[in-house]
Short mmCIF file of all heavy atoms in Angstrom, two decimals:
data_model
loop_
_atom_site.label_atom_id
_atom_site.label_comp_id
_atom_site.label_asym_id
_atom_site.label_seq_id
_atom_site.Cartn_x
_atom_site.Cartn_y
_atom_site.Cartn_z
N ILE A 78 -7.97 18.23 9.54
CA ILE A 78 -8.98 17.31 10.05
C ILE A 78 -9.69 17.90 11.26
O ILE A 78 -10.90 17.73 11.44
CB ILE A 78 -8.32 15.97 10.45
CG1 ILE A 78 -7.62 15.33 9.25
CG2 ILE A 78 -9.34 15.01 11.05
CD1 ILE A 78 -6.78 14.12 9.61
N TYR A 79 -8.93 18.61 12.09
CA TYR A 79 -9.48 19.14 13.35
C TYR A 79 -8.65 20.35 13.75
O TYR A 79 -7.44 20.41 13.52
CB TYR A 79 -9.40 18.08 14.45
CG TYR A 79 -9.77 18.59 15.83
CD1 TYR A 79 -11.09 18.64 16.24
CD2 TYR A 79 -8.78 19.04 16.71
CE1 TYR A 79 -11.43 19.12 17.50
CE2 TYR A 79 -9.10 19.52 17.97
CZ TYR A 79 -10.43 19.56 18.37
OH TYR A 79 -10.76 20.05 19.60
N GLU A 80 -9.32 21.32 14.41
CA GLU A 80 -8.59 22.49 14.90
C GLU A 80 -9.31 23.10 16.09
O GLU A 80 -10.54 23.18 16.11
CB GLU A 80 -8.46 23.53 13.78
CG GLU A 80 -7.68 24.76 14.19
CD GLU A 80 -7.60 25.82 13.09
OE1 GLU A 80 -8.18 25.61 12.00
OE2 GLU A 80 -6.97 26.87 13.34
N ASP A 81 -8.55 23.49 17.11
CA ASP A 81 -9.07 24.30 18.20
C ASP A 81 -8.00 25.31 18.57
O ASP A 81 -7.06 25.54 17.79
CB ASP A 81 -9.52 23.43 19.38
CG ASP A 81 -8.40 22.61 20.00
OD1 ASP A 81 -7.23 23.03 19.93
OD2 ASP A 81 -8.68 21.53 20.57
N SER A 82 -8.09 25.94 19.74
CA SER A 82 -7.14 26.99 20.10
C SER A 82 -5.75 26.45 20.46
O SER A 82 -4.79 27.23 20.53
CB SER A 82 -7.69 27.81 21.27
OG SER A 82 -7.92 26.97 22.41
N ASP A 83 -5.63 25.15 20.68
CA ASP A 83 -4.36 24.56 21.09
C ASP A 83 -3.67 23.75 20.01
O ASP A 83 -2.43 23.74 19.93
CB ASP A 83 -4.56 23.64 22.31
CG ASP A 83 -4.96 24.41 23.56
OD1 ASP A 83 -4.20 25.29 23.97
OD2 ASP A 83 -6.05 24.13 24.10
N ILE A 84 -4.43 23.05 19.23
CA ILE A 84 -3.85 22.11 18.27
C ILE A 84 -4.56 22.17 16.92
O ILE A 84 -5.68 22.66 16.82
CB ILE A 84 -3.90 20.65 18.78
CG1 ILE A 84 -5.36 20.21 18.97
CG2 ILE A 84 -3.09 20.48 20.06
CD1 ILE A 84 -5.53 18.72 19.29
N ALA A 85 -3.89 21.67 15.92
CA ALA A 85 -4.52 21.38 14.63
C ALA A 85 -4.04 20.00 14.23
O ALA A 85 -2.88 19.63 14.46
CB ALA A 85 -4.12 22.41 13.58
N VAL A 86 -4.93 19.21 13.65
CA VAL A 86 -4.58 17.88 13.17
C VAL A 86 -4.78 17.88 11.67
O VAL A 86 -5.83 18.29 11.17
CB VAL A 86 -5.45 16.79 13.84
CG1 VAL A 86 -5.07 15.41 13.31
CG2 VAL A 86 -5.30 16.84 15.35
N ILE A 87 -3.75 17.45 10.95
CA ILE A 87 -3.80 17.51 9.49
C ILE A 87 -3.56 16.14 8.88
O ILE A 87 -3.03 15.23 9.52
CB ILE A 87 -2.77 18.51 8.94
CG1 ILE A 87 -1.35 17.96 9.18
CG2 ILE A 87 -2.92 19.88 9.54
CD1 ILE A 87 -0.31 18.57 8.29
N ASN A 88 -3.93 16.01 7.63
CA ASN A 88 -3.64 14.83 6.82
C ASN A 88 -2.64 15.28 5.76
O ASN A 88 -3.02 15.89 4.76
CB ASN A 88 -4.92 14.28 6.19
CG ASN A 88 -4.67 13.08 5.29
OD1 ASN A 88 -3.61 12.49 5.32
ND2 ASN A 88 -5.68 12.73 4.50
N LYS A 89 -1.36 15.02 5.99
CA LYS A 89 -0.31 15.48 5.07
C LYS A 89 -0.31 14.64 3.80
O LYS A 89 -0.37 13.42 3.84
CB LYS A 89 1.06 15.40 5.74
CG LYS A 89 2.20 16.01 4.88
CD LYS A 89 3.56 15.76 5.47
CE LYS A 89 4.12 14.41 5.05
NZ LYS A 89 4.48 14.33 3.60
N GLN A 90 -0.22 15.30 2.68
CA GLN A 90 -0.15 14.59 1.40
C GLN A 90 1.27 14.09 1.12
O GLN A 90 2.25 14.64 1.60
CB GLN A 90 -0.63 15.48 0.25
CG GLN A 90 0.26 16.70 -0.03
CD GLN A 90 -0.26 17.95 0.65
OE1 GLN A 90 -0.67 17.91 1.80
NE2 GLN A 90 -0.22 19.07 -0.06
N GLN A 91 1.34 13.03 0.33
CA GLN A 91 2.64 12.51 -0.10
C GLN A 91 3.34 13.55 -0.96
O GLN A 91 2.73 14.29 -1.73
CB GLN A 91 2.45 11.22 -0.91
CG GLN A 91 3.76 10.53 -1.28
CD GLN A 91 3.57 9.37 -2.23
OE1 GLN A 91 3.01 9.54 -3.30
NE2 GLN A 91 4.02 8.18 -1.84
N GLY A 92 4.66 13.64 -0.82
CA GLY A 92 5.44 14.56 -1.64
C GLY A 92 5.69 15.91 -1.02
O GLY A 92 6.41 16.73 -1.60
N LEU A 93 5.12 16.17 0.16
CA LEU A 93 5.28 17.48 0.81
C LEU A 93 6.27 17.36 1.97
O LEU A 93 6.05 16.59 2.91
CB LEU A 93 3.93 17.98 1.32
CG LEU A 93 3.92 19.37 1.98
CD1 LEU A 93 4.34 20.44 0.97
CD2 LEU A 93 2.54 19.70 2.56
N THR A 94 7.35 18.11 1.91
CA THR A 94 8.32 18.16 2.99
C THR A 94 7.72 18.92 4.17
O THR A 94 7.00 19.90 3.98
CB THR A 94 9.60 18.87 2.52
OG1 THR A 94 10.15 18.15 1.41
CG2 THR A 94 10.64 18.96 3.63
N VAL A 95 8.00 18.47 5.39
CA VAL A 95 7.36 19.06 6.56
C VAL A 95 7.90 20.45 6.87
O VAL A 95 7.14 21.40 7.04
CB VAL A 95 7.50 18.14 7.79
CG1 VAL A 95 7.07 18.86 9.07
CG2 VAL A 95 6.66 16.89 7.60
N HIS A 96 9.22 20.59 6.98
CA HIS A 96 9.76 21.89 7.39
C HIS A 96 10.91 22.32 6.47
O HIS A 96 11.55 21.48 5.81
CB HIS A 96 10.24 21.86 8.84
CG HIS A 96 11.23 20.78 9.13
ND1 HIS A 96 12.54 20.82 8.70
CD2 HIS A 96 11.10 19.61 9.80
CE1 HIS A 96 13.18 19.74 9.10
NE2 HIS A 96 12.33 18.99 9.76
N PRO A 97 11.19 23.61 6.39
CA PRO A 97 12.25 24.11 5.51
C PRO A 97 13.63 23.58 5.90
O PRO A 97 13.91 23.31 7.06
CB PRO A 97 12.19 25.63 5.71
CG PRO A 97 10.80 25.90 6.19
CD PRO A 97 10.47 24.71 7.05
N ALA A 98 14.47 23.44 4.88
CA ALA A 98 15.85 23.01 5.06
C ALA A 98 16.62 23.50 3.84
O ALA A 98 16.01 23.94 2.85
CB ALA A 98 15.92 21.48 5.18
N PRO A 99 17.94 23.46 3.88
CA PRO A 99 18.72 23.93 2.72
C PRO A 99 18.24 23.29 1.42
O PRO A 99 18.08 22.08 1.33
CB PRO A 99 20.15 23.47 3.07
CG PRO A 99 20.19 23.52 4.56
CD PRO A 99 18.82 23.06 5.00
N GLY A 100 17.98 24.14 0.46
CA GLY A 100 17.49 23.67 -0.82
C GLY A 100 15.99 23.73 -0.97
O GLY A 100 15.46 23.63 -2.07
N ASN A 101 15.28 23.90 0.12
CA ASN A 101 13.81 23.98 0.05
C ASN A 101 13.29 24.79 1.23
O ASN A 101 13.04 24.26 2.30
CB ASN A 101 13.19 22.59 0.05
CG ASN A 101 11.68 22.63 -0.08
OD1 ASN A 101 11.09 23.66 -0.43
ND2 ASN A 101 11.02 21.53 0.20
N TYR A 102 13.14 26.10 1.01
CA TYR A 102 12.66 26.97 2.06
C TYR A 102 11.24 27.48 1.82
O TYR A 102 10.68 28.15 2.67
CB TYR A 102 13.60 28.18 2.23
CG TYR A 102 14.88 27.85 2.93
CD1 TYR A 102 16.07 27.70 2.22
CD2 TYR A 102 14.93 27.67 4.31
CE1 TYR A 102 17.25 27.38 2.88
CE2 TYR A 102 16.10 27.36 4.97
CZ TYR A 102 17.26 27.22 4.24
OH TYR A 102 18.43 26.91 4.89
N ASP A 103 10.66 27.18 0.66
CA ASP A 103 9.38 27.81 0.35
C ASP A 103 8.30 26.86 -0.17
O ASP A 103 7.25 27.30 -0.60
CB ASP A 103 9.57 28.95 -0.64
CG ASP A 103 10.14 28.48 -1.98
OD1 ASP A 103 10.39 27.26 -2.12
OD2 ASP A 103 10.34 29.32 -2.86
N ASN A 104 8.55 25.56 -0.11
CA ASN A 104 7.54 24.62 -0.60
C ASN A 104 7.36 23.50 0.41
O ASN A 104 7.53 22.33 0.11
CB ASN A 104 7.96 24.06 -1.97
CG ASN A 104 6.85 23.26 -2.62
OD1 ASN A 104 5.66 23.54 -2.44
ND2 ASN A 104 7.22 22.24 -3.37
N THR A 105 7.00 23.89 1.65
CA THR A 105 6.89 22.92 2.74
C THR A 105 5.55 23.08 3.46
O THR A 105 4.82 24.05 3.27
CB THR A 105 8.02 23.13 3.77
OG1 THR A 105 7.78 24.34 4.50
CG2 THR A 105 9.38 23.21 3.08
N LEU A 106 5.28 22.11 4.32
CA LEU A 106 4.07 22.18 5.14
C LEU A 106 4.09 23.43 6.01
O LEU A 106 3.04 24.06 6.21
CB LEU A 106 3.98 20.93 6.02
CG LEU A 106 2.84 20.88 7.04
CD1 LEU A 106 1.50 20.91 6.34
CD2 LEU A 106 2.97 19.65 7.92
N VAL A 107 5.24 23.79 6.54
CA VAL A 107 5.33 24.98 7.39
C VAL A 107 4.89 26.22 6.64
O VAL A 107 4.16 27.07 7.18
CB VAL A 107 6.76 25.15 7.94
CG1 VAL A 107 6.96 26.56 8.51
CG2 VAL A 107 7.04 24.12 9.03
N ASN A 108 5.30 26.38 5.37
CA ASN A 108 4.85 27.53 4.58
C ASN A 108 3.33 27.58 4.50
O ASN A 108 2.71 28.65 4.61
CB ASN A 108 5.42 27.47 3.17
CG ASN A 108 6.92 27.54 3.12
OD1 ASN A 108 7.58 26.51 3.05
ND2 ASN A 108 7.49 28.72 3.17
N ALA A 109 2.72 26.41 4.32
CA ALA A 109 1.26 26.35 4.22
C ALA A 109 0.59 26.64 5.56
O ALA A 109 -0.42 27.35 5.62
CB ALA A 109 0.84 24.97 3.71
N LEU A 110 1.15 26.11 6.66
CA LEU A 110 0.57 26.32 7.98
C LEU A 110 0.62 27.78 8.39
O LEU A 110 -0.31 28.30 9.02
CB LEU A 110 1.30 25.47 9.02
CG LEU A 110 1.14 23.95 8.89
CD1 LEU A 110 2.02 23.24 9.91
CD2 LEU A 110 -0.32 23.53 9.07
#
Side-chain angles (χ1 to χ4, degrees):
I78 300 171
Y79 172 85
E80 182 182 1
D81 61 28
S82 59
D83 293 301
I84 62 172
V86 179
I87 68 160
N88 178 13
K89 186 188 85 69
Q90 65 264 43
Q91 186 187 57
L93 182 63
T94 300
V95 169
H96 56 72
N101 182 14
Y102 285 103
D103 61 0
N104 189 32
T105 72
L106 175 62
V107 165
N108 297 96
L110 293 175

